[in-house]
Amino acid sequence: MKKINKIILPSLLVLFASCADEFIDLAPPASLTDAVYYTEAEHFLTGSNKFYTNLVPWTALGETLDHGSDLIGFKEAGGMQDYGRGETIAPVTDAFYSNAYTAIRDMNLLLKRAEAYKGNPNDIAQYVAATRFHRAYQYFYLVQRFGGVPLITTPLDVNSPELYAPRNSRYEVVAQVLADLDAAIAGLPTEQQIPAADKGKISKWAAMAYKAEVLLHEATWMKYVGTTTDGDGIVSGAGSKGYDPSKINSYLQEVVTLTKTVMDQGGYQLWNYNNVLDNMSSYYLFMLEDAGSNPAGLDKSSNKEYIFYGKYDNLLRQSRALISHTSQGRLIPNRKMMDMFLCRDGLPIDKSPLFKGYTKTSDEYQNRDYRLRAYFTPNTTHEIPVDGSVVLNAPNSFGYYNSKFISWKWPVYRPSQTESPDLPYLRLAEVYLMYAEALYELNGSLTDAQMNESINKVKARAGLPPLTNAFLTTNNMNIGTEIRRERTIELYAESSRFNDVKRWGIAEQELGQDIFGAVIEGTNYQGNSALYKPSAFPYGEKTTNTGVGPRRAILLEPASVRNFSRNDYLFPIPTSQTDINKKLLQNPGY
């Protein structure tokens, strides 16, 4: 049996209301029923538009954005914090499970009605393709969270045997996801064909990029995790039917092909306005709204980086979420994350002569990757903290700040819950990194040209020199490590970290470590009662490896209370479902 006190479920996942419906014309006429509704092409348009509200929204940010991961120092009880400690038990309900199946039911209905449509099938082909994409999204989200789940592709009624069927394996569900994405790719328009008024709708390139994400996740899962989380399908879990590790390389090769197509044909660009934003593009990108959202007066029309994203608008569809407030507190980085950023010479801090150490508060920010300042400086100034201004005096005041996802001049520009940036699910920077990772997993190396067309583009925006094989060899660095480093930094708090460490098979190691805050030994905090209150930190200090060797730092949470295991790779199926359907076996370990 697993130990825990509680898990907080995302009731906030309840989706959007009136103004959002008007924004993308969602609701069918109230007088029409399912049985008669899908008879005209515009019905399929309206029906497929509705599925955009089933994407995970800003209001679910408490259970997303990597809260509780191994990169974040903020610690409390409940939700994803408990999950990161390995302290989850099967809940009665899980909105991520029930909401997905509610959405899938509506998608299956539209697809069934499309088969009987009496008009020209070309008139509804794009809407059917979009629906196939959305069904793939919902099923892959379920696979990432639960593993194998019941695979339902037709509308059900109260007597349908599928209601009491066993789970399909993850491999069977993924096969359907890939089939749906192929259909979506075939039927969707390119980004260039989508008019300005419809931006945010799924394009052919978005479906290709998302398929690449699915393939990379499953290829690395098979390579590093295998069947260890599947259960036998008899006593627990969904079993391993359809598992075929011979597909790993073909999946990876297709990732390369798909990402290269998007890179070459998609027309996307990294959002890089460092020249007018004081090298802070990696901050302003994530809170981009109208001209008032940044000092350069840029609006969302300038953003050609987002490929698949949730569309928001301050007048028509506000986030209704505490984006800035929650991000300010719960996304504060820990020692591990702070030390991961390279110096401007492209070297890790323990190798670079540019690293200035930790003696003064400002020292560790000097000569570093631009993203360190963009993500982790006070949102009031966005400047490196002034020496003596940071006081270590509370469990979550341990030396650092977060400003990613916090509105510029918050709450003056945007009061809480009115922030309305688009929510990125997949952007060009990630496509570059998927391309690089797939090549590495296939070949164990990249050529200099391959680095230049992928990872080096991401590094350039961060103010870092390009990688070359000669540079890596000279400095005893590994391209695989650097690809993972770039992914970790670039996608910080974008809901990728838990999935990444799990698919790489290292979650037990990464999530089971001590969590540290500011370095104390040899710094201006040591012995300074005005800046550092040791009694505020119940676990005291402990020696850890830093950029200048072993040093004592604030211990925020010891490894002894972090017990994430292989059984935690999958969430438990909610007991309300397993109680109804006895063939729906629980995941191993719960």
Side-chain angles (χ1 to χ4, degrees):
M1 292 291 293
K2 300 213 24 142
K3 64 183 183 64
I4 185 186
N5 298 319
K6 59 183 176 179
I7 181 169
I8 297 175
L9 293 172
S11 59
L12 290 177
L13 200 62
V14 174
L15 296 171
F16 319 101
S18 58
C19 62
D21 293 345
E22 295 169 8
F23 180 36
I24 50 179
D25 189 22
L26 301 178
S31 60
L32 297 178
T33 66
D34 285 347
V36 300
Y37 181 55
Y38 288 115
T39 57
E40 300 178 20
E42 68 179 48
H43 297 165
F44 289 89
L45 167 62
T46 303
S48 63
N49 278 348
K50 177 178 181 290
F51 302 138
Y52 288 90
T53 65
N54 298 125
L55 300 171
V56 174
W58 277 121
T59 47
L61 61 85
E63 294 292 317
T64 55
L65 300 188
D66 299 331
H67 291 177
S69 83
D70 60 310
L71 307 176
I72 291 172
F74 176 90
K75 296 301 167 192
E76 64 177 358
M80 294 303 290
Q81 297 282 344
D82 284 347
Y83 178 65
R85 299 183 186 100
E87 295 183 345
T88 300
I89 61 171
V92 175
T93 60
D94 185 327
F96 287 107
Y97 189 95
S98 57
N99 286 358
Y101 276 109
T102 298
I104 289 167
R105 183 263 181 196
D106 291 341
M107 294 166 193
N108 288 341
L109 179 64
L110 184 150
L111 294 172
K112 186 68 174 179
R113 294 288 188 267
E115 294 175 5
Y117 179 62
K118 292 183 170 36
N120 185 339
N122 292 331
D123 293 343
I124 64 171
Q126 181 177 330
Y127 316 135
V128 171
T131 301
R132 293 288 292 270
F133 175 90
H134 284 288
R135 186 169 69 177
Y137 169 87
Q138 294 296 336
Y139 268 122
F140 188 58
Y141 198 94
L142 287 169
V143 165
Q144 288 179 301
R145 189 171 177 89
F146 302 105
V149 292
L151 182 58
I152 300 168
T153 58
T154 59
L156 304 182
D157 59 36
V158 293
N159 297 314
S160 296
E162 291 90 343
L163 292 173
Y164 303 99
R167 298 165 65 179
N168 293 87
S169 73
R170 74 178 297 126
Y171 317 102
E172 293 173 312
V173 180
V174 167
Q176 180 62 50
V177 167
L178 296 176
D180 276 345
L181 289 172
D182 284 339
I185 291 167
L188 287 168
T190 66
E191 185 69 37
Q192 294 88 337
Q193 293 170 322
I194 297 176
D198 285 340
K199 290 302 184 185
K201 289 191 175 182
I202 300 299
S203 71
K204 181 186 299 289
W205 314 130
M208 283 186 176
Y210 192 69
K211 185 182 181 187
E213 182 176 302
V214 172
L215 289 166
L216 181 61
H217 186 282
E218 291 306 291
T220 50
W221 189 282
M222 285 191 287
K223 185 173 182 177
Y224 295 114
V225 182
T227 61
T228 59
T229 62
D230 291 345
D232 57 11
I234 300 171
V235 176
S236 67
S240 303
K241 184 178 180 181
Y243 174 67
D244 184 359
S246 70
K247 293 180 178 179
I248 291 173
N249 281 355
S250 63
Y251 276 14
L252 292 170
Q253 186 57 62
E254 190 171 0
V255 174
V256 174
T257 301
L258 289 167
T259 52
K260 189 70 163 64
T261 301
V262 174
M263 288 155 55
D264 291 346
Q265 300 181 33
Y268 302 103
Q269 300 173 351
L270 291 183
W271 195 82
N272 189 353
Y273 289 87
N274 280 342
N275 60 325
V276 294
L277 291 174
D278 192 22
N279 298 324
M280 290 281 285
S281 291
S282 294
Y283 163 71
Y284 292 106
L285 170 62
F286 299 104
M287 295 311 297
L288 188 64
E289 293 194 48
D290 57 24
S293 65
N294 59 88
L298 299 164
D299 61 24
K300 290 180 180 179
S301 67
S302 68
N303 183 2
K304 304 297 191 296
E305 180 167 344
Y306 286 8
I307 298 173
F308 171 34
Y309 56 99
K311 189 72 175 173
Y312 289 80
D313 182 89
N314 189 255
L315 295 177
L316 300 173
R317 188 193 179 194
Q318 294 181 355
S319 68
R320 302 300 184 193
L322 293 167
I323 301 176
S324 299
H325 172 80
T326 303
S327 300
Q328 183 182 52
R330 295 187 180 184
L331 296 181
I332 304 171
N334 60 23
R335 168 88 278 117
K336 177 180 180 178
M337 185 65 196
M338 292 291 293
D339 284 350
M340 195 169 288
F341 291 82
L342 300 172
C343 289
R344 300 261 179 92
D345 55 8
L347 295 175
I349 58 175
D350 60 347
K351 294 177 181 286
S352 175
L354 297 181
F355 184 58
K356 292 189 174 298
Y358 311 92
T359 302
K360 298 178 294 183
T361 300
S362 62
D363 285 348
E364 64 182 299
Y365 293 86
Q366 306 296 326
N367 305 322
R368 303 288 290 280
D369 180 327
Y370 291 156
R371 290 169 295 191
L372 183 62
R373 177 179 162 223
Y375 292 173
F376 301 142
T377 50
N379 69 287
T380 51
T381 65
H382 296 296
E383 297 296 335
I384 293 172
V386 175
D387 296 328
S389 66
V390 179
V391 180
L392 316 178
N393 61 0
N396 287 312
S397 296
F398 49 81
Y400 302 112
Y401 303 88
N402 176 70
S403 57
K404 190 170 183 178
F405 297 120
I406 301 178
S407 285
W408 186 44
K409 297 184 178 180
W410 174 72
V412 176
Y413 165 67
R414 287 286 186 249
S416 290
Q417 301 188 66
T418 70
E419 308 101 316
S420 304
D422 294 340
L423 175 55
Y425 304 121
L426 210 167
R427 52 191 178 89
L428 182 60
E430 184 174 0
V431 170
Y432 287 141
L433 296 174
M434 288 194 294
Y435 174 76
E437 184 180 348
L439 284 169
Y440 174 75
E441 292 292 346
L442 276 169
N443 305 319
S445 63
L446 275 72
T447 66
D448 289 355
Q450 289 167 338
M451 292 183 216
N452 284 337
E453 65 183 352
S454 59
I455 187 173
N456 284 341
K457 291 181 181 291
V458 181
K459 291 170 73 69
R461 179 169 60 182
L464 298 172
L467 288 175
T468 66
N469 281 294
F471 178 88
L472 292 167
T473 300
T474 298
N475 293 289
N476 194 29
M477 294 168 67
N478 175 272
I479 183 58
T481 300
E482 295 312 305
I483 290 169
R484 290 187 179 186
R485 182 198 305 273
E486 281 300 314
R487 185 173 176 90
T488 300
I489 292 173
E490 178 66 24
L491 301 180
Y492 178 77
E494 293 183 51
S495 302
S496 67
R497 183 60 177 175
F498 278 111
N499 284 329
D500 283 346
V501 294
K502 289 188 291 187
R503 69 184 177 88
W504 294 331
I506 59 173
E508 305 96 317
Q509 170 190 330
E510 298 301 312
L511 290 164
Q513 299 171 355
D514 292 325
I515 303 294
F516 290 98
V519 175
I520 300 300
E521 183 181 353
T523 74
N524 289 346
Y525 293 116
Q526 189 170 10
N528 189 333
S529 60
L531 295 180
Y532 174 42
K533 183 180 178 182
S535 62
F537 303 97
Y539 295 111
E541 300 171 12
K542 185 176 178 180
T543 298
T544 184
N545 289 324
T546 72
V548 294
R551 294 289 186 275
R552 289 196 321 280
I554 295 171
L555 180 62
L556 300 175
E557 196 168 84
S560 61
V561 303
R562 302 188 62 81
N563 301 298
F564 198 92
S565 71
R566 187 56 58 100
N567 285 337
D568 296 300
Y569 277 43
L570 301 178
F571 279 78
I573 302 294
T575 58
S576 60
Q577 301 299 315
T578 56
D579 288 346
I580 293 171
N581 178 6
K582 300 303 181 182
K583 294 181 180 179
L584 196 66
L585 301 177
Q586 186 56 271
N587 278 324
Y590 292 99

